Every structure is written in C-alpha cells, then in structure tokens.
Amino acid sequence: MDLVQLHTLEPLSAARLSRELASRVDERWLQPWATLDVAVSGPWRPADVWPGRLERLVWTATFVYPEGGFFTPEGELSAGALGTLARRQAPIHPAELVAGAFASALVVWHSDAGRSAYAAVWRERRLRWSLRLDESRGLVRCDGEKVISESPPRHLPEQDRTGVLLAGWQRLLGEPLPLEGHDRLLFVDTLAALTGDADPEQLYGRERAGVRAVPLRLAR
C-alpha cells in the first residue's frame, strides 16, 4: 500500500477535507468502486517524535483508497489538467488537489511497489516546490513555475526516496530533519504511525440500501 499524506501548519479535519474535495473533484472522474478514507491526527510536534527537533504544531491526514485506483483514466486526465499536475508528473490524488486550500501544506507520497517518492510544498496557497523520484523513469523537479525532468537524474542531493520526503519536510518547517541511521531507515514507517491511533473517516464511498448500490455521494 502506498503512503499518501497531507501535513499542514493549521488545524485540519475530515470535515474540512470533505468540503475542499467537494469543490475540486468532479464525481464523474471517479471509478465506480471509488472509496476514500482519511485518518487525521494533530496537533503534534516534531520534537514529540524526534527529540530535539522543532516545537512547531503540525496536523496530519493519511489517505486510504482502493488498490484499483480512485480516478478513471479519463478522470486522471481531467484532474491532471489542474495547475501543473501533469507537467510535474505529480501523482493524481485528492491529497494533491486539496493542498492548495491551506496556507502551508506538504503532500508526501511513498510507494515501495512503484519504487517512487513524491513531495510538494504549498505556501500562501501556491505551489512553491515539488520533487518526484521514480527509480525506473527518473526525476521531475519544480520550483513552482519551471519544471525540470531528468532521466536518469544526473545529480540527486536528496540521495534516495527517503531523502525526497525529508526535503519536503525541510521546506515545510524551514529547517532540516537531519535524521540518520535507524531514524532515517524507519522514517516512512514513523510517518505512517502518526495517524495510527486515529479512527479513519470516510470522505467518499458507496451507500447501500439492501443489495442495491446507490450513486457515489460525498460524505457530509
């Protein structure tokens, strides 16, 4: 399962995510089986997880969706036409679509199966930076306006997929998380555990009356 998260520096809730999704996602873009759950935690502090780090308050949402995908191929094209998503080769996911609603936000996506990682940062509700590393296809970097694609990457100061995510955190928080050894090795697992105790809430799903499925509806 991929890890897909949205991190913000302001209060985050499933209800707010539901409202933002309703304003950005056309239900005609979705697979017939589309469901989307989210687990939200916060506020928490980096210092709570990695002693000696920042005391800044952070809110985190972890998104869970079916392995068969959330958008249809046509829906991905429509969603990808928003902003520079397609040009940046950004993963087409609701977390990416709603991040711009927050003053400061970070999207992270990590896939072991796909051997890829992605991070993107918004400030003042504008995309300021994104980086995608796909170990089979290369690197796509964006400074908010210009997109640079390298295949294979000639130079990767972030080192690897974990480094991509750490680079995103550095840009969100304004200072690095210089994790080493065991902490760096388990970084993705640590991120996943941030919402491990939170009860998932459904943002999208199918309601059933008896055995008859009714159309997909936005959870309110």
Side-chain angles (χ1 to χ4, degrees):
M1 177 63 71
D2 296 344
L3 176 68
V4 183
Q5 291 183 321
L6 172 67
H7 307 273
T8 67
L9 302 182
E10 61 190 277
L12 179 65
S13 67
R16 181 172 181 183
L17 289 172
S18 181
R19 291 193 300 270
E20 299 298 344
L21 283 170
S23 68
R24 289 169 171 78
V25 176
D26 189 324
E27 294 186 2
R28 292 173 296 180
W29 300 351
L30 307 183
Q31 295 282 7
W33 57 78
T35 61
L36 182 66
D37 292 345
V38 64
V40 178
S41 68
W44 62 276
R45 297 172 176 83
D48 298 335
V49 182
W50 303 285
R53 304 307 175 202
L54 281 178
E55 296 286 345
R56 190 73 180 266
L57 295 179
V58 181
W59 284 258
T60 294
T62 299
F63 293 81
V64 179
Y65 59 99
E67 292 187 10
F70 188 70
F71 294 107
T72 65
E74 296 78 11
E76 282 205 359
L77 289 174
S78 298
L82 302 175
T84 61
L85 280 171
R87 196 157 57 93
R88 292 188 286 117
Q89 298 181 35
I92 308 301
H93 188 278
E96 178 82 11
L97 300 181
V98 302
F102 298 89
S104 296
L106 166 67
V107 171
V108 298
W109 178 307
H110 185 275
S111 173
D112 280 328
R115 305 297 296 170
S116 65
Y118 172 81
V121 173
W122 279 256
R123 290 200 179 281
E124 298 174 349
R125 293 176 171 81
R126 289 185 57 193
L127 176 76
R128 301 297 183 176
W129 174 90
S130 71
L131 179 62
R132 180 169 187 173
L133 173 64
D134 187 303
E135 294 182 4
S136 65
R137 293 188 294 178
L139 180 77
V140 182
R141 191 185 298 272
C142 179
D143 63 2
E145 295 181 3
K146 183 172 63 176
V147 178
I148 298 175
S149 179
E150 299 180 24
S151 182
R154 293 186 297 271
H155 177 58
L156 183 61
E158 293 84 6
Q159 300 180 29
D160 54 17
R161 288 181 293 149
T162 298
V164 169
L165 305 190
L166 286 169
W169 276 99
Q170 177 175 347
R171 290 176 178 270
L172 177 71
L173 299 175
E175 69 175 58
L177 286 175
L179 305 183
E180 298 178 356
H182 195 66
D183 287 339
R184 194 179 195 280
L185 182 65
L186 296 180
F187 183 59
V188 175
D189 294 329
T190 302
L191 292 182
L194 292 174
T195 56
D197 294 332
D199 293 328
E201 298 184 53
Q202 188 178 76
L203 299 185
Y204 283 102
R206 281 192 176 276
E207 299 174 347
R208 291 183 177 273
V211 296
R212 182 177 62 85
V214 300
L216 187 73
R217 293 180 180 176
L218 181 68
R220 299 292 183 182

